[in-house]
């Protein structure tokens, strides 16, 4: 990254990046020292896996909070609980063999307000959950029990997409000074963990095993700043690591995601979908992704927000449905269109399978979302609202090829390229366009794109060219390599004339 920035006279960008990362590490390196430890048994908390401990755990947290802070320690055992609320200067330590178990009774969870979760905190500071223990929310059965109560009329819920409103695992809102370290979180009803409008968040060395139900995101960072996620493992049935922005006056800022391994039946790393505010100063460094249904990396601004100053370096993805999807949209039909600028993706290696990459997992991505010909990496803005200043450097995308023109050929004339619809208001996933005219990289409505030392490999012959540029301006290519079996053909197609989108 340093060499890239300095070679282009962008030393100030490199210096800012160092400042951002150092500021994050400094802000998160505060010493989480509490003067006292309190054994859970002091408060009558039972480890038999049968006794409901919600009130006892909350009593312990409240007591430690009033005493100025400390650690509530859970030793070996199973501790059954409903919703609990963490308070300032209180940490929960789950020692090896300790399991915090979610109650199967929906009424043991606080359903009031937006923070419907097993563990929550609102406007607190200096809080932590750490240790070698486990949080097991038993989310699948809890979800079924909620649905049962909805059908009986006791819980009012529209069951949107046949899914009820249900508790998340962890939800911290407007908190400062958070450490989540070492623990395993599994089987939540909804998102595993959500951190909303928080400052100084350190997620380190955790394991997420969350394939219990729908919408099981591994971790959601919503409008937070000064965040470090490192050395962690995420296995989830929805997006593994996801950043979101819900308000125009907020954004995700100064976020580092590094040294993590991820699997998902959706996206590996996703900035979006909801992007009302934005994302800036994001560093995604040295991560691995495997068996992932959608894109290894998605950056989307479909709701009027922005994405800028983003660096992705040393990302490896194996058996993944798509490599890169960068997208501006307009789901709300607003006059305020999102923007995307200054993105560097370097040292990327992706292998895309010919078949379904999450086949065999209990919660797979929907088969109806699969393109009929496997889709290329794509960077797609909107007409009059291009994605700008994107660099791909030292990239290898190993693609199956094997596209068949008899399925739904998209030709190369401007009129034929217009068969690819704008879909400004669609949910931003690479599969929304179905057929695309390139097998390697598709660029549309972009400006100032740099492709340096980029290799596209097709393992089988494909009827499409490797690269298609449609309404793409100031695109620089150097040290490009395109490998495809069969007779040589024109692999790069450029169309600067863009007319109007197809009505479909």
């Amino acid at each position: 990254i340093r060499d890239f920035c300095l070679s282009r006279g962008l030393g100030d960008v490199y210096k800012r990046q160092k400042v951002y990362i150092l500021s994050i590490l400094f802000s998160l390196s505060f010493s989480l020292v509490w003067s006292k430890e309190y054994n859970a048994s002091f408060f009558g908390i039972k480890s038999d896996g049968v006794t409901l401990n919600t009130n006892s755990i909350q009593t312990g947290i409240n007591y430690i909070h009033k005493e100025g802070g400390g650690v509530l320690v859970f030793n070996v055992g199973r501790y059954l609980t409903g919703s609990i609320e963490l308070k300032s200067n209180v940490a929960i330590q789950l020692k090896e063999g300790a399991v915090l178990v979610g109650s199967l009774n929906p009424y043991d969870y606080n359903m009031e307000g937006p923070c419907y979760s097993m563990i929550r905190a609102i406007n607190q500071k200096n809080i932590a959950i750490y240790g070698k223990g486990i949080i097991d929310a038993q989310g699948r059965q809890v979800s079924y029990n909620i649905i049962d109560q909805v059908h009986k009329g006791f819980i009012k819920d529209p069951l949107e997409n046949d899914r009820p409103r249900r508790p998340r695992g962890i939800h911290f809102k407007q908190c400062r000074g958070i450490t989540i370290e070492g623990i395993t979180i599994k089987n939540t009803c909804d998102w595993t963990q959500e951190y909303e409008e928080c400052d100084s968040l350190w997620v380190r060395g955790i394991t997420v095993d969350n394939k219990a139900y729908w919408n099981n995101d591994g971790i959601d960072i919503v409008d937070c700043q000064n965040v470090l996620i490192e050395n962690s493992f995420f296995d989830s049935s929805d997006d593994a690591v996801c950043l979101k922005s819900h308000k125009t006056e907020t954004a995700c800022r100064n976020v580092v995601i590094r040294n993590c391994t991820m699997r998902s039946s959706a996206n590996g790393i996703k900035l979006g979908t909801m992007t009302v505010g934005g994302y800036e100063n994001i560093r995604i460094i040295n991560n691995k992704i495997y068996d992932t249904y959608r894109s290894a990396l998605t950056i989307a601004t479909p709701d009027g927000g922005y994405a800028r100053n983003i660096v992705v370096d040393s990302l490896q993805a194996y058996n993944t449905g798509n490599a890169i999807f960068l997208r501006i949209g307009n789901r709300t039909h607003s006059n305020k269109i999102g923007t995307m600028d200054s993105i560097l993706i370097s040292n990327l290696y992706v292998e895309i399978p010919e078949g379904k990459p999450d086949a065999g997992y209990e919660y797979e991505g929907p088969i109806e979302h699969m393109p009929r010909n496997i889709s290329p990496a794509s960077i797609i803005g909107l007409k009059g609202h291009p994605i700008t200043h994107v660099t791909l450097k030292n990239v290898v995308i190993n693609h199956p090829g094997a596209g068949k023109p008899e399925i739904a050929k998209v030709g190369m004339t401007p009129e034929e390229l217009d068969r690819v619809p704008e879909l400004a208001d669609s949910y931003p996933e690479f599969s929304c366009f179905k057929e695309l005219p390139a097998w390697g990289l598709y660029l549309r409505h972009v400006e100032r794109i740099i492709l340096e030392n980029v290799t596209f490999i097709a393992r089988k012959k494909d009827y499409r060219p490797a690269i298609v540029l449609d309404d793409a301006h100031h695109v620089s290519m150097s040290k490009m390599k395109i490998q495809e079996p069969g007779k040589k053909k024109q692999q790069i197609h450029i169309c600067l004339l863009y007319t109007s989108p197809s009505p479909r």
Side-chain angles (χ1 to χ4, degrees), residues 106-173:
Y107 300 105
D108 289 334
Y109 298 90
N110 184 354
M111 301 184 188
E112 301 299 324
C115 297
Y116 185 17
S117 56
M118 182 176 171
I119 305 174
R120 74 174 185 177
I122 304 174
N123 196 25
Q124 304 297 312
K125 62 182 181 180
N126 196 22
I127 56 179
I129 306 173
Y130 70 98
K132 295 183 179 180
I134 298 171
I135 297 173
D136 182 355
Q138 302 195 106
R140 179 178 301 174
Q141 191 58 53
V142 175
S143 299
Y144 291 161
N145 291 347
I146 293 171
I147 292 172
D148 175 70
Q149 293 297 291
V150 173
H151 287 163
K152 291 177 178 177
F154 298 118
I155 294 177
K156 303 299 181 183
D157 191 287
L159 285 181
E160 186 176 356
N161 295 322
D162 296 322
R163 304 169 199 174
R165 182 172 177 262
R166 54 205 186 274
R168 291 170 181 169
I170 298 172
H171 186 180
F172 291 171
K173 183 174 182 178

